[in-house]
Each structure stands twice: as C-alpha cells, then as structure tokens.
Amino acid sequence: MTGGPLVGVRVVELAGLGPPVHVGMIMADLGAEVLRIERPGAADSGVLTHLLRGRTRCTIDIKSAEGPAAVLAQVAVADILVEGFRPGVTERLGIGPVDCARVNPGLIYVRVTGWGQDGPRASQAGHDINYIGLTGVLHAIGRAGGRPVPPLNIVGDFGGGSMLAVIGALAALHERAGTGRGQVVDAAIVDGVSLLAQMQFQYLQEGRWSLLRGANRLDGGAPYYDTYRCSDGRYVAVGALEDTFWGRLLDGLGIEPTRWPDRADPARWPEIRRVLTELFAQRPRDDWDEIFASLDACVTPVLSFTESAADRHLKARGTLTPTASGFEAAAAPRIGPLGSPQNDRIR
C-alpha cells in the first residue's frame, strides 16, 4: 500500500531515547509525516539510525529564549506530539500540554515515561529493568531456583511503552475526529507492562500460577514448553501445549505415546524433561528443524539475530530487509485493501 494509513497525519517528536523514538519510527512506518526536533550539538548518542528512519529532522534549542516559540510553531500545524521527558519538564520549558493547547486545541499530546505522570516514583529515574521489576513481570522470568533474568528491553520499553503509546495516540486521534478535542496520552511503562501481564494476574488469582520461577506452563516449568540443547550446542524451542501438538512431538522423536508418563501431572515433569533432554541432544538443531518442518508440532529452531536474517520464512515474508550494514526489521503490521489476495506493505 503506497503511503500508508497515516498519510496526512503530522507528528512532532521531541528528541530523546528509547520508547519515544520507537513511537516516531512506527508512526513514520505507517505513513505519518514525522518531524524530529533535536537539540543543537546533540549527536543522537545511543539512538540507532534504523530507529530514526522515515523522519524529517530539525534543530531547535528549546532552552533558548526563542526555542519554545519555535516548537509551538510546529505544534500549531501538527496532529500529534510525542515526548519522553520526566513529568513537569515540558511545562517548565513552556511547551507543556496547556501551552500547546493554546496554539492547537486539537493536538494529541503523547507522554511516554516509565513511572507515569503521577505517583510516588513519577520524578525518579529508571530503565526497563526497573519498570518490569516493579510490576512483577521480572520476578516471573528466569529458571527455577535462579535469579530473575532481564528479557532484553523489549517487554518494558517497547511492549508496555511505545506500543501502548501508539495505541493511545491512535485512539485519541479517532476520538478527536468526532469531538475536535485534543487529548493527553499518559503512556506509563508500568501501566503498559501490567496490562500485558493481565493473563498471568488472572491465573495467579485462580490458583493456576505459582510465584516460584520455572514452575508454570509458560515460564519454562513445563517440559513441553521449553528449549532444549542439541548435539551441536544450539537449541530448539518446544511449544507443544495442546495434546495434538504433544502427540506430533512424540511422533517426531520416535516415542510411543501410550508408554509416556502423564504430562498433566507436574510431579512427572522432571522425568519427562530428562527424556526430552536426552533425545534432543542426539541430533544437531537443523536436523530437528528438518524433521519437524512438516509435522506441525510447534517445534522450531532457536535462531540468533544473525541467523534470523537467513530464515526461509522470514525471507519469504520480507520480515527483515537488507541495509548497507546488515538488515533491519520491516514495517509492521501489513495493511492492504479489504478483499485483496495479499496485504501490501504499509510502506
């Protein structure tokens, strides 16, 4: 699809790091016109060029006497503003929501922070690991008997942060179409991560989730939802949650299902895991990939970032696109006209 669904939407992004940059990238991927306002002399330290794709960039010293007026001039003709400063910073600079409303009452003002705009921690510094730590999510990730393991910065910064910020911005934009009113979107990572963990919260309250790491169906506790080391030191991912897939897993491993322990009984999990560990260790990872490619058993190779660029499925879809230095993720999701045989790219 040429242009994308957000063609005609103008976004002002106040330069920063992490989630707000990701928001700007997604908006640009969807077709919006994104202007990134950067500080003089700032070299975008820590911001990867792939995250900056699709932007127009300009320099404004927002701390100078003329800076706020220059920002507000851009805000006056924008639909969305995205900022990731600590609460109160843009207000002190003269470009807060009230200032922006004076020049553009229909503006969607998106604020992406870790702790949110209020609460005891609102003014504190933090990073992804801190935000997911407070929500209970980090506590749940790791091996049995081990310490919590940070899942990169994907769950907090981008899952609970930028992705929920984009949803909030688009929802506010839709609401404005009917009322003409602008909105402030308070996209706090702690709120977003908690929302992502809604299923686990319910399981916990129903007595179906243990606070012990590595003791649940989805945290590596169950032997049928875990990774296994192969003879070449690489790994496969096994996600045979349902009985159908479990049966096909056993077929691929050459096991007679009727002679297998009851996997519904957690007391038998160590025994099952021991056998699966021994079996997967007998062949290299790619051999297992070939065996399970046609079995539909929810068994796939665990690929490194580099290997993923050569994967046959990702290549066929164009999920990763070549660049001068390697590759980058293509725009997502794909959006195309209803009734078309295959969705076109949104860019």
Side-chain angles (χ1 to χ4, degrees), residues 48-137:
L48 301 179
T49 55
H50 293 180
L51 289 176
L52 294 176
R53 70 189 182 199
R55 316 285 215 289
T56 299
R57 300 161 71 178
C58 73
T59 300
I60 297 176
D61 184 358
I62 58 177
K63 293 185 178 180
S64 69
E66 304 81 14
V71 172
L72 292 175
Q74 298 296 335
V75 167
V77 293
D79 297 289
I80 299 170
L81 178 140
V82 181
E83 61 98 352
F85 298 111
R86 295 195 202 188
V89 170
T90 57
E91 285 86 349
R92 291 194 296 273
L93 292 170
I95 52 175
V98 173
D99 306 296
C100 290
R102 293 193 185 103
V103 300
N104 186 350
L107 182 73
I108 309 303
Y109 198 107
V110 181
R111 323 191 76 166
V112 192
T113 60
W115 308 114
Q117 296 299 308
D118 55 18
R121 296 182 184 270
S123 63
Q124 294 181 1
H127 282 296
D128 182 292
I129 192 170
N130 308 115
Y131 311 136
I132 67 173
L134 200 73
T135 60
V137 170

Side-chain angles (χ1 to χ4, degrees), residues 150-215:
L152 308 184
N153 68 326
I154 294 173
V155 174
D157 282 351
F158 303 131
S162 59
M163 302 301 274
L164 269 294
V166 170
I167 291 173
L170 298 183
L173 200 62
H174 174 75
E175 195 269 354
R176 190 191 71 176
T179 67
R181 294 192 302 265
Q183 301 284 341
V184 175
V185 177
D186 177 4
I189 293 174
V190 289
D191 296 347
V193 170
S194 297
L195 184 66
L196 295 177
Q198 184 79 312
M199 184 173 72
Q200 278 70 36
F201 289 151
Q202 178 174 338
Y203 282 165
L204 177 65
Q205 291 162 47
E206 292 175 349
R208 294 194 290 158
W209 190 269
S210 171
L211 292 179
L212 296 174
R213 279 185 293 281

